[in-house]
Amino acid sequence: MPHDELLTIASTIALRAGELAKKRRAEGIEVAATKSSPVDVVTEADRETEALIRSLLADARPDDGFFGEESGAEVGSSGLTWIVDPIDGTVNYLYGIPHYAVSIAVVEGEPDPLTWSALAGAVINPATGELFTATLGGGAQLGGAAIHVAESVELSQALVATGFSYDSATRGEQGAVIAGLLSRVRDIRRMGTASLDLCFVASGRTNAYFERSLSPWDHAAGALIAREAGATVTGLNGHAPSRDFILAAHPAVALELESTITAFGV
């Protein structure tokens, strides 16, 4: 299937799922369970939204695999897998902060960011209605209009986004890196939704983003969107983005930022 047809499926389902998530947020939500730590929460809306996405994808692409944050993996026979985060930024969602997302990507190969090839992706913020999309080789868009990474700047003029692990010990290590970086950049932003952080790099709203401990569904769509907008999206030392590390920025900014944070022991 052509990539643009896969994108149509991803976008249409993301919009449907976003409507559901927004409706449940308006009705009022609460924590249903915790996962990796007491602050790593899941709501019933997360589960319900993923169930809707999974059902719609099964109807549209019954031979494809599925890999979702809440319901796990299912192997398909087509060689394609849908990577889904039903509500990225769940803590923002829980607190009513209008910065959360539905993220849907389709990849070729094993559902492993070290080896897969992302073909199409859609990220929507239901609170604002902004829909970011991309196809492999087809560029990135916001609301159907082309977007591009910001022009290169000196690191001292870069607005850098990041995020923190749910594990308290890892957060402490990440905080030490930020303490060293603060005096070397324009400023730091920690907005709490990795998929949107990547889309903000893609649209020039920030100059760079980096983070440790992301899961595949956190960055599958956003990484494609940032890359198609002209960003370098990488792990450390030229490796593919993974749970270990991801960085997205204009290529020149990415080089300087990686060199700087590596010196701080990221």
Side-chain angles (χ1 to χ4, degrees), residues 143-195:
I147 53 175
H148 303 282
V149 68
E151 293 297 323
S152 179
V153 296
E154 296 295 326
L155 189 60
S156 62
Q157 298 300 306
L159 183 62
V160 180
T162 192
F164 301 111
S165 170
Y166 288 114
D167 176 76
S168 59
T170 304
R171 281 206 307 272
E173 295 168 1
Q174 292 169 317
V177 172
I178 294 302
L181 187 62
L182 267 172
S183 64
R184 298 170 182 258
V185 298
R186 180 188 293 275
D187 207 347
I188 298 290
R189 294 290 181 268
R190 193 280 197 262
M191 293 175 280
T193 308
S195 58

Side-chain angles (χ1 to χ4, degrees), residues 20 31-35 42-53 70-71 86-87:
L20 175 61
V31 174
T34 59
K35 294 184 286 187
V42 60
T43 70
E44 286 297 340
D46 286 89
R47 295 169 174 171
E48 186 181 3
T49 302
E50 182 159 313
L52 173 64
I53 295 169
E70 308 305 336
S71 60
I87 301 178

Side-chain angles (χ1 to χ4, degrees), residues 19-40:
E19 290 171 0
L20 175 61
K22 184 177 181 180
K23 178 181 179 182
R24 293 293 181 260
R25 175 59 256 181
E27 293 170 348
I29 51 121
E30 59 185 36
V31 174
T34 59
K35 294 184 286 187
S36 63
S37 79
V39 295
D40 183 7

